[in-house]
């Protein structure tokens, strides 16, 4: 467990590095680029076999759940390491939406039975708030009438594989709804590795868990803060693969990476990725320690992360030349994930506005 400290330690601990190695080994064996491309072209883009290995085999779905409730009793720092590796492989699993966002909402509502089920991997949860909504912003709710829920919610990430839906209603409550009681329709999604769907409730029964507003706010804040770690993993992969390709690719009988203009572009990108790592680690540490500056750290991380991840993926696509424009090369998966992540849990602009408010910086 991480303990609060005046000076955050942003370095990775030995345990965190061991966790990274274990997750990376698993993903290397079960999440190759060709397999991901083939899966997103199918009618079942989520890799539920990989999810079972992560959730049940390694216990990663319960990192944020206390041990007495069936979880691992770890912190956001460990969850951030897992998300870095999932971002590095653009793994099509509902880790962020279930093991982080839905879990945080259930922790706020103290829904112990559901927490144990999500921690064990027996069930997958989804908070029915659109993926583009940031903490503190308005979100869609459904109508609660005569003990049942009615309404339609759009842009719900990973709803297609959810077993339990966490639904905010107009009476201010957060309700748990069995996914079989809802109609879930796929929507067009840029990022096919994290598809979104429309959820329709027509008299669906729901169990009241608690107040929706604090649960949704906590869940979206954690989602935004740890999303930066996923974006970090994505950016690191694209930078590493681009450098490797430019060392191998030759033009005029010399490696393309030897040209000065490309060296400058890669050096600038490296600096951006290093700074992204610092902001992402700080956000994870502040969430882990419930620091007073957690809101500030999350806003800084997301204000910085989205542009860097998109820039890294765009550079990778361009510098891979013709092969980068093909469907067979995985770089398009990273660009789509980066673009989709850039609006997930609030845009960079929305987080800059939140940051300005937090530090009492008046707009010009």
């Amino acid at each position: 467990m991480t303990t609060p400290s005046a000076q955050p330690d942003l370095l990775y601990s030995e345990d965190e590095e061991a966790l990274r190695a274990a997750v990376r080994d698993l993903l290397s064996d079960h999440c190759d680029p060709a397999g991901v491309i083939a899966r997103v072209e199918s009618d079942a883009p989520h890799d539920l076999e990989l999810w079972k290995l992560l959730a049940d085999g390694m216990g990663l779905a319960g990192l944020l759940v206390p041990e007495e409730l069936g979880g691992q009793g770890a912190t956001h720092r460990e969850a951030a390491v897992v998300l870095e590796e999932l971002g590095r492989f653009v793994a099509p699993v509902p880790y962020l939406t279930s093991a982080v966002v839905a879990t945080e909402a259930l922790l706020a509502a103290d829904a112990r039975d559901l927490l144990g089920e999500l921690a064990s991997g027996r069930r997958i949860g989804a908070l029915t708030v659109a993926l583009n909504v940031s903490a503190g912003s308005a979100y869609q709710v459904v109508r609660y009438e005569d003990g049942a829920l009615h309404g339609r919610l759009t842009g719900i990430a990973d709803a297609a594989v959810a077993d339990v839906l966490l639904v905010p209603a107009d009476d201010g409550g957060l309700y748990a709804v069995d996914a079989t009681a809802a109609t879930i329709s796929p929507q067009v999604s840029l990022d096919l590795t994290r598809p979104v769907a429309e959820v329709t409730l027509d008299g669906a029964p729901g169990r009241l868990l608690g107040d929706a507003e604090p649960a949704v706010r906590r869940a979206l804040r954690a989602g935004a803060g740890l999303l930066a770690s996923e974006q970090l993993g994505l950016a690191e992969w694209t930078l590493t693969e681009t450098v490797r390709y430019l060392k191998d690719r030759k033009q005029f009988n010399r490696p393309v990476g030897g040209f000065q203009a490309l060296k400058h572009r890669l050096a600038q990108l490296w600096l951006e990725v290093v700074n992204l790592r610092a902001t992402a680690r700080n956000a994870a540490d502040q969430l882990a320690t419930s620091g007073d500056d957690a809101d500030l750290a999350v806003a800084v991380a997301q204000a910085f992360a989205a542009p860097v991840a998109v820039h890294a993926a765009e550079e990778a696509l361009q510098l891979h030349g013709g092969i980068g424009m093909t469907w067979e090369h995985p770089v398009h998966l990273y660009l789509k994930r980066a673009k989709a992540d850039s609006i997930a849990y609030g845009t960079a602009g929305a987080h800059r506005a939140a940051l300005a408010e937090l530090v009492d910086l008046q707009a010009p």
Side-chain angles (χ1 to χ4, degrees):
M1 297 286 289
T2 304
T3 56
S5 61
Q7 295 295 329
D9 181 7
L10 304 187
L11 300 177
Y12 299 98
S13 67
E14 290 185 7
D15 289 342
E16 288 166 354
E17 290 292 4
L19 174 62
R20 179 196 306 285
V23 175
R24 186 175 297 187
D25 285 346
L26 177 66
L27 293 174
S28 297
D29 292 338
H30 298 278
C31 195
D32 62 289
V36 175
I37 292 172
R39 184 168 293 280
V40 299
E41 289 182 313
S42 71
D43 295 330
H46 292 94
D47 191 341
L48 295 183
E49 291 184 8
L50 175 60
W51 171 251
K52 183 175 178 60
L53 291 172
L54 291 166
D56 186 24
M58 297 185 69
L60 300 182
L63 283 181
L64 299 181
V65 179
E67 292 182 71
E68 61 268 22
L69 300 182
Q72 302 300 316
T75 73
H76 300 78
R77 288 176 61 107
E78 289 79 15
V81 170
V82 174
L83 280 163
E84 285 182 33
E85 295 309 308
L86 294 176
R88 193 183 307 276
F89 287 84
V90 284
V93 293
Y95 188 86
L96 182 64
T97 49
S98 182
V100 176
V101 175
T103 295
E104 286 281 350
L106 292 174
L107 285 168
D110 196 27
R112 293 172 172 254
D113 56 334
L114 286 176
L115 279 169
E117 292 180 347
L118 261 62
S120 67
R122 293 194 302 272
R123 302 182 82 183
I124 297 172
L127 179 66
T128 60
V129 173
L131 184 61
N132 65 311
V133 175
S134 61
S137 299
Y139 50 87
Q140 290 179 306
V141 297
V142 299
R143 188 176 81 258
Y144 181 76
E145 183 178 347
D146 298 329
L149 299 167
H150 308 261
R152 184 179 65 178
L153 302 159
T154 59
I156 311 304
D158 294 332
V161 291
D163 300 297
V164 59
L165 304 171
L166 308 181
V167 184
D170 59 1
D171 66 345
L174 181 70
Y175 291 84
V177 176
D178 194 293
T180 58
T183 300
I184 300 175
S185 307
Q187 292 182 291
V188 176
S189 176
L190 174 64
D191 177 16
L192 299 178
T193 63
R194 181 176 285 144
V196 297
E198 178 183 88
V199 175
T200 303
L201 303 173
D202 187 10
R207 175 163 67 94
L208 180 63
L209 300 176
D211 293 337
E213 195 280 329
V216 170
R217 182 178 179 83
R218 173 173 172 170
L220 296 185
R221 185 183 73 164
L226 295 188
L227 176 64
S229 292
E230 177 184 288
Q231 291 164 308
L232 169 61
L234 184 155
E236 285 186 330
W237 183 91
T238 52
L239 174 59
T240 300
E241 286 301 303
T242 303
V243 171
R244 183 192 61 76
Y245 176 78
L246 294 181
K247 285 182 177 179
D248 295 339
R249 179 77 169 89
K250 291 186 177 180
Q251 198 171 66
F252 305 115
N253 204 31
R254 60 178 292 190
V256 174
F259 293 109
Q260 191 77 359
L262 297 188
K263 286 182 177 180
H264 288 168
R265 288 171 66 171
L266 292 173
Q268 176 60 39
L269 186 56
W270 181 82
L271 289 173
E272 293 178 11
V273 172
V274 168
N275 289 329
L276 170 54
R277 183 182 298 112
T279 62
R281 290 296 293 168
N282 185 50
D285 184 76
Q286 284 292 315
L287 289 169
T289 58
S290 300
D292 295 336
D293 292 331
D295 288 343
L296 187 67
V298 169
V300 170
Q302 271 307 310
F304 192 80
V308 173
V310 171
H311 182 213
E314 289 176 341
E315 288 286 70
L317 183 70
Q318 293 177 17
L319 296 179
H320 271 81
I323 188 65
M325 299 298 294
T326 65
W327 192 257
E328 289 77 12
H329 196 281
V331 70
H332 66 90
L333 295 175
Y334 291 84
L335 179 58
K336 292 170 184 175
R337 173 67 71 87
K339 288 284 190 178
D341 282 356
S342 70
I343 62 171
Y345 306 116
T347 63
H351 286 285
R352 283 193 293 269
L355 176 60
E357 185 175 344
L358 287 168
V359 298
D360 197 24
L361 178 64
Q362 298 299 318

